[in-house]
Amino acid sequence: MRTKNILRQGLSLLTAFGLMAAQLIQPASTAYAADVAYVMEPDKTAITAEEIAQGDVTVHVTLRIENNPGLASILLTFGVPDGFTFANGAYSDPYCFGNGSVSSAGATTTFNSGAKKLLWNSGQNGGVENDLVYDASLPFAEFDVIVPQGTPEGIYPVSFVTEPILAGTDANGNPLYTSTAATYRIENKTSIVEVTPTYRGFTITVGDPVVRGDVNMDGIVDGVDAQQILKAYSNALVGAEYGLTEQQIRNADVDASGVINSLDGVFVLRFYAAQLVGQGTTWEDILAK
């Protein structure tokens, strides 16, 4: 009977905190679910303390395009942490569009590693009639991210830069910005329409850092992490494993009590709520309450 009561209490907590998390999590937009998505796929996401102490570590990344609606032009800019090197940017051979255009007229395929910028133009812009063959099994492009020797333990994001970059000023001193991300597709082979894509980067974990609350290790602490904590807690209530990796367990034990329980979920939700309203509350503030 006591076991049933504990289980019932645990499930009630799980339901309650699930509702709290649902209120805090911003709903995912599905408006562009069928539109193009750019996805980075690294060959590794974890670097040990021993590896980084011995020298630089290279992470090779392939770029894939999902849900291609018939692209005509692509502009992408990539972001890496300070001190990291972005190198060897190139289109995969062969890549998903072959050489980009049946007709070379107007076709552009450049990948500037120094600027961390990719520009691809099929030659279809302006209504040029040609046929593109897209093979989703092939990567579109690839590059290397070089993590320097001695990089401190931590979780480092590799991302797509989607905000405009200040490029200078005009003759009147007004700021000039460069585009960082743009995608266009052909519409009936005559007009170009802009597509709103989604972007999926990744994180590189160096060493074994404990990042409080970041259970899914995506570089942010939010309601999704609270849900994972509560799921792990419900597993423990019925005598099962948490269902998390060792690193995730360390991150989930927010109050360093040695166990994962509902209180860890509460702390994560408080921390997330404070960030949402711009309070900038620290973990020390949260744990002191």
Side-chain angles (χ1 to χ4, degrees):
M1 179 66 71
R2 185 172 181 274
T3 301
K4 289 183 178 179
N5 288 336
I6 292 174
L7 177 59
R8 188 177 300 112
Q9 292 172 1
L11 292 175
S12 297
L13 283 169
L14 179 63
T15 301
F17 286 120
L19 290 173
M20 290 173 65
Q23 292 173 351
L24 290 171
I25 298 173
Q26 295 178 342
S29 172
T30 57
Y32 303 105
D35 282 351
V36 63
Y38 297 107
V39 183
M40 296 186 197
E41 296 182 347
D43 64 354
K44 66 172 68 178
T45 58
I47 299 171
T48 67
E50 291 76 16
E51 286 178 302
I52 205 65
Q54 292 174 3
D56 297 350
V57 177
T58 298
V59 177
H60 187 68
V61 184
T62 54
L63 172 66
R64 293 185 179 275
I65 304 175
E66 295 181 352
N67 302 322
N68 171 40
L71 298 175
S73 182
I74 300 169
L75 172 63
L76 297 173
T77 301
F78 305 89
V80 298
D82 291 342
F84 286 32
T85 301
F86 186 96
N88 304 319
Y91 292 93
S92 300
D93 184 19
Y95 63 77
C96 56
F97 289 108
N99 68 355
S101 175
V102 173
S103 168
S104 62
T108 304
T109 54
T110 60
F111 200 149
N112 187 327
S113 293
K116 298 186 285 291
K117 190 180 293 289
L118 173 157
L119 173 62
W120 181 87
N121 184 337
S122 71
Q124 285 188 333
N125 282 325
V128 176
E129 182 76 22
N130 64 21
D131 296 313
L132 291 174
V133 178
Y134 175 76
D135 186 344
S137 70
L138 295 175
F140 180 62
E142 52 195 289
F143 56 89
D144 291 331
V145 174
I146 302 174
V147 185
Q149 182 180 15
T151 296
E153 286 191 336
I155 297 177
Y156 299 89
V158 178
S159 62
F160 293 94
V161 179
T162 56
E163 296 298 324
I165 296 175
L166 181 63
T169 58
D170 62 16
N172 298 318
N174 299 313
L176 295 175
Y177 296 90
T178 61
S179 299
T180 58
T183 297
Y184 300 90
R185 67 182 174 90
I186 220 65
E187 185 75 19
N188 298 323
K189 299 284 188 178
T190 58
S191 61
I192 303 294
V193 297
E194 187 169 357
V195 174
T196 302
T198 56
Y199 305 91
R200 296 207 296 272
F202 66 98
T203 59
I204 300 173
T205 301
V206 177
D208 297 312
V210 175
V211 183
R212 279 187 179 135
D214 186 14
V215 184
N216 64 356
M217 299 171 65
D218 64 351
I220 58 175
V221 176
D222 57 17
V224 176
D225 298 300
Q227 289 179 325
Q228 286 197 282
I229 287 174
L230 295 169
K231 182 178 180 181
Y233 175 50
S234 68
N235 289 341
L237 286 174
V238 296
E241 298 291 332
Y242 286 134
L244 302 173
T245 66
E246 288 299 320
Q247 181 65 53
Q248 288 178 312
I249 290 173
R250 288 194 290 270
N251 291 356
D253 184 14
V254 174
D255 58 1
S257 65
V259 296
I260 297 174
N261 54 36
S262 59
L263 193 55
D264 295 305
V266 170
F267 286 141
V268 166
L269 289 174
R270 286 178 180 171
F271 182 86
Y272 178 43
Q275 308 314 304
L276 284 179
V277 297
Q279 291 183 352
T281 304
T282 66
W283 274 116
E284 285 69 26
D285 295 332
I286 295 295
L287 295 174
K289 293 181 180 180

